Amino acid sequence: MSITVCKFGGSSVSDAGMFVRVNRIIRSDPNRRYIVLSAPGKRCPSDDKITDLLIRAHAADCDGDHSILARIFERYASIRDALAPDFDLEGEFAQLRANLGRSLDYVASRGEYLCAKLFAAYTHLPFVDAAQLLFFDGDGRIDVATTARAARDKLLPLGRAVVPGFYGATRDGRIRTFSRGGSDVSGALLAAALGATLYENWTDVDGLYTADPKLVAHPARNFTVSLSQMERICAAGARLLHPDALSPLHGTHIDTLLKNTFAPGAPGTCVSENCTGIVRCVTGRRGLYMLGDAAAASGGKNDVLLHALPLQGSVRVATVNAFGLTDPQIRLVEATIHPIHMIHMQDHIQIIVPEREYEDTVRAVHRILLEAGSEGG
């Protein structure tokens, strides 16, 4: 039996219309058997993500303020009323309201829980709680053996199911979440546990481009990329996947296909252990801090310390990471870009610049990556 595990991100389940779109996608291929869902994301740039609202509702509960919870209810009610009017949303929210004082992990996880349960009611597919499938050990790591056994025992007999992403449970039954974006990890863990043929990760972009399409006009798309390079690209700042999403798939030979919910016919990008070579890509991360004298103190060595929180005397910076540059292109970058510091990695260079110069640096490096691509063969 061929099995495709599909994870859909927050933008893919943001409202009733997106529920319909996702259902159409999964029904178009009978191999799409196990569906992992994030919590509803933003419907427009000014909107709020459900998880953010839940975190705020947990904090507001200390003051007895349930107004944020009412906003969350309205989001789910608009989907329920359009697609699954018999779903007992009032009962689910009564339980949530009664437990707002529980752990933040529990409250934050209810976005995925309610989304998956509502989607299951709409599609008439079985719902299986992630707390019965994904298990954390005492050190906060996934218990792979227990998780694999539970997933096979509970999911395979059903043939199809809907599962919430982002969380699991400890051995004593406490809800435990991954870091934000962790539904990607949930999907990968279930794909590995079930011996899936394919893991599809559906978001709002067509796949891995040579640069962020929001910053660079008409970047090229990479149709395949190795699993190991994709991990490095994500660690370098690309927001296509959670940085830990691919680690469960090492050694499984399960490909990950990055797909766009808004353009399901697009081929996407295949992340595969069978892919060799280095693809061209520029990505990066903003909002980092570096000690003001770190570049001078490093003496040109690759030991500049970057950190996420400001320290006394630190400077706000960004990193631009370029993969797949030829030696002549690297020399051209060195001649035209004047960063705070540049670090040569095994398969890419990391350019540290003042944060205000991030976008211009991405565009400049991307031009060199593509326009000078013929230099040096």
Side-chain angles (χ1 to χ4, degrees):
M1 178 177 69
S2 294
I3 295 174
T4 298
V5 173
C6 301
K7 174 264 174 182
F8 289 88
S11 59
S12 300
V13 289
S14 58
D15 60 25
M18 294 307 300
F19 267 47
V20 173
R21 182 185 293 268
V22 169
N23 186 44
R24 189 179 304 125
I25 289 171
I26 65 175
R27 300 294 184 182
S28 68
D29 184 344
N31 292 329
R32 291 175 176 142
R33 299 177 181 276
Y34 300 102
I35 314 304
V36 179
L37 299 183
S38 297
K42 294 183 177 184
R43 297 163 293 186
C44 62
S46 61
D47 203 5
D48 289 298
K49 296 179 179 181
I50 288 293
T51 302
D52 290 333
L53 290 175
L54 284 164
I55 292 170
R56 288 162 55 188
H58 176 72
D61 183 60
C62 298
D63 302 322
D65 180 5
H66 286 176
S67 60
I68 300 174
L69 197 63
R71 288 180 56 194
I72 300 169
F73 177 85
E74 291 170 2
R75 284 283 301 272
Y76 283 103
S78 66
I79 300 172
R80 186 272 310 268
D81 294 347
L83 303 177
D86 294 332
F87 181 72
D88 184 15
L89 188 63
E90 287 77 10
E92 294 288 350
F93 265 79
Q95 184 175 357
L96 174 57
R97 186 177 295 106
N99 288 281
L100 269 183
R102 286 179 62 177
S103 71
L104 178 59
D105 278 19
Y106 170 82
V107 174
S109 73
R110 297 305 87 181
E112 281 76 10
Y113 170 84
L114 287 167
C115 184
K117 203 164 189 183
L118 181 52
F119 186 82
Y122 158 56
T123 56
H124 304 289
L125 292 173
F127 166 84
V128 181
D129 193 345
Q132 301 175 353
L133 300 173
L134 303 178
F135 293 93
F136 292 85
D137 63 21
D139 296 322
R141 295 188 295 261
I142 280 291
D143 183 335
V144 175
T146 303
T147 293
R149 185 166 53 251
R152 290 192 295 266
D153 290 347
K154 295 183 182 299
L155 294 179
L156 289 178
L158 295 173
R160 299 171 66 87
V162 180
V163 179
F166 184 48
Y167 72 92
T170 60
R171 289 167 181 165
D172 60 0
R174 290 179 291 111
I175 296 295
R176 177 78 181 255
T177 62
F178 296 101
S179 56
R180 291 296 292 268
S183 292
D184 292 342
V185 185
S186 302
L189 285 165
L190 292 180
L194 298 173
T197 311
L198 180 66
Y199 173 38
E200 292 182 339
N201 194 291
W202 294 80
T203 63
D204 55 1
V205 294
D206 287 340
L208 174 65
Y209 284 91
T210 50
D212 184 348
K214 296 177 182 176
L215 298 182
V216 174
H218 310 299
R221 191 185 319 160
N222 290 297
F223 293 97
T224 59
V225 59
S226 72
L227 186 150
S228 59
Q229 188 188 356
M230 192 66 197
E231 285 185 314
R232 293 191 293 275
I233 290 171
C234 291
R239 296 186 176 183
L240 288 171
L241 286 170
H242 188 285
D244 298 329
L246 295 173
S247 59
L249 301 177
H250 277 281
T252 66
H253 298 288
I254 299 170
D255 290 346
T256 298
L257 187 59
L258 307 179
K259 295 280 285 181
N260 188 346
T261 307
F262 297 86
T269 296
C270 182
V271 184
S272 176
E273 288 186 292
N274 298 321
C275 180
T276 59
I278 300 297
V279 304
R280 297 181 297 174
C281 177
V282 181
T283 188
R285 180 178 286 113
R286 295 186 246 202
L288 297 173
Y289 295 86
M290 184 183 73
L291 290 177
D293 60 352
S298 71
K301 298 178 182 178
N302 295 344
D303 57 0
V304 173
L305 176 64
L306 299 173
H307 39 95
L309 298 174
L311 301 174
Q312 185 174 4
S314 62
V315 177
R316 193 174 176 96
V317 299
T319 60
V320 176
N321 299 275
F323 293 80
L325 289 167
T326 64
D327 288 341
Q329 288 173 333
I330 292 174
R331 290 194 293 271
L332 186 54
V333 169
E334 291 173 333
T336 56
I337 305 295
H338 304 288
I340 296 173
H341 196 64
M342 187 179 298
I343 303 173
H344 292 256
M345 308 290 196
Q346 183 177 0
D347 63 352
H348 69 284
I349 59 172
Q350 182 178 84
I351 305 165
I352 303 173
V353 297
E355 189 176 53
R356 64 182 179 276
E357 298 178 12
Y358 174 76
E359 295 187 9
D360 288 341
T361 304
V362 168
R363 296 186 186 104
V365 174
H366 186 259
R367 281 195 298 271
I368 292 171
L369 183 70
L370 293 192
E371 295 176 8
S374 60
E375 295 187 38

